[in-house]
Amino acid sequence: MRRRDFLGVLGGAALAWPHRAQAQPVAQWPDRPVRLLVTVGAGGAADTLSRNLSNGFSQFANGQPLVVENRPGAGGTIAAAAVAREKPDGYNLFLAEVGPNAVSHVLGAKLSYDPHTAFTPIIHVANLPAVVLIRPDLPYTTLADFIAAAKKQPGKFNYASAGAGNWTHLFMAYLNSQAGIDLVNVVYRSGSEMLTALLRGEADTAVITVSTALGQIKEGKVRALAGLGMAPMKQLPDTPPVAKTIPGFDVAVWHGIAGPAGMDPALVQRINDIFNQVLQTPAARTAISGAQAADIVGGSAEQFDAFIKSELKRWPEVVKTVGLKQQ
């Protein structure tokens, strides 16, 4: 073989070898348990969604489990910051949501990460329907009635949330602003704790996912006033949307999977494929779409990236317009 041809063969091998070396680890991912950090405490809708995902994960992930770890607090930014510091190897993920991914940085919070650059979006998992609730001993049967009472008595009523910047705070504060009322925010660790606060009479109102509160709504232990989205809620078809009282009001409780910045695109595709497969299993669809009443989304990492960018544009503008601040 002539020297020029020999060098050409070596050059081709040098180009091909890194490709094989990189592809093999991605195909073998994961070879140990994967950690999924959740921004709220155990028992809430986000925690339940994560565990529904974990139940079907191992069958598509080389038998490795998805270990759910709750890191509540600071509107979800504790969990987000922890993942942002990790290596981009796919073994540390978190359940992304509007608070830590699109809002907290403009509420005056001092964050150790920039949501524009700190994460790799992987998949938009689902949107969960949520509802405005009040404790049943209050006499108001419609959102309009409650708003009217709150306008007459500024500062009298409070609402439960899972922390400043969390969607339970953001959406209720947004509703307050749009309705022209003044409710006091009282912080709890999860949707289940917020619901308990309503049941005990510690909180007057809250926005909570339908799946978390449906049993208590059906039993009359809490009263549903309005749904947050425009579409009717299949579990509560007689509960009108907030938009009937506040025209144009339409928000979504979305959750997805994200990892640290800098993840290999091939690895992102691998993880995206696994979660898309999980979301298509009958067990996951029954648990998430059925029991949790969620709209399963799925799709590509690029689609989730575009969605988060739209949220990063929408909510900071809302926060500045209505004057929301870290509480």
Side-chain angles (χ1 to χ4, degrees), residues 29-48:
W29 187 95
D31 61 7
R32 61 182 187 272
V34 179
R35 186 174 64 151
L36 177 64
L37 269 62
V38 183
T39 59
V40 296
D47 176 68
T48 301

Side-chain angles (χ1 to χ4, degrees), residues 155-218:
K156 175 181 179 180
F157 300 106
N158 64 35
Y159 68 94
S161 82
N166 180 271
W167 69 265
T168 56
H169 164 243
L170 174 67
F171 294 165
M172 181 58 85
Y174 182 43
L175 187 152
N176 291 348
S177 174
Q178 297 299 100
I181 57 179
D182 178 21
L183 305 182
V184 178
N185 181 20
V186 181
V187 175
Y188 295 85
R189 291 169 60 88
S190 68
S192 58
E193 287 192 11
M194 292 162 54
L195 181 59
T196 299
L198 286 175
L199 296 174
R200 292 176 176 173
E202 297 172 4
D204 299 312
T205 185
V207 290
I208 297 178
T209 56
V210 171
S211 59
T212 299
L214 186 61
Q216 287 75 11
I217 294 171
K218 295 290 189 182

Side-chain angles (χ1 to χ4, degrees), residues 22-23 26 88-89 120 262-270:
Q22 291 171 4
V26 170
D89 57 9
T120 300
M263 292 178 64
D264 184 337
L267 177 59
V268 173
Q269 185 62 57
R270 164 74 173 158

Side-chain angles (χ1 to χ4, degrees), residues 6 26 37 62 66 78 88 98 118 129 161 178 205 222 240 248 277 323:
F6 178 69
V26 170
L37 269 62
N62 302 328
L66 182 68
I78 292 176
V98 66
S161 82
Q178 297 299 100
T205 185
V222 289
Q277 290 178 85

Side-chain angles (χ1 to χ4, degrees), residues 132 141-149 151 175 178-181 225-230 239-250:
V132 180
T141 58
T142 69
L143 180 60
D145 290 341
F146 179 67
I147 289 173
K151 284 183 176 180
L175 187 152
Q178 297 299 100
I181 57 179
L225 295 183
L228 297 189
M230 292 283 196
T239 302
V242 171
K244 185 176 180 180
T245 304
I246 305 174
F249 192 98
D250 182 23

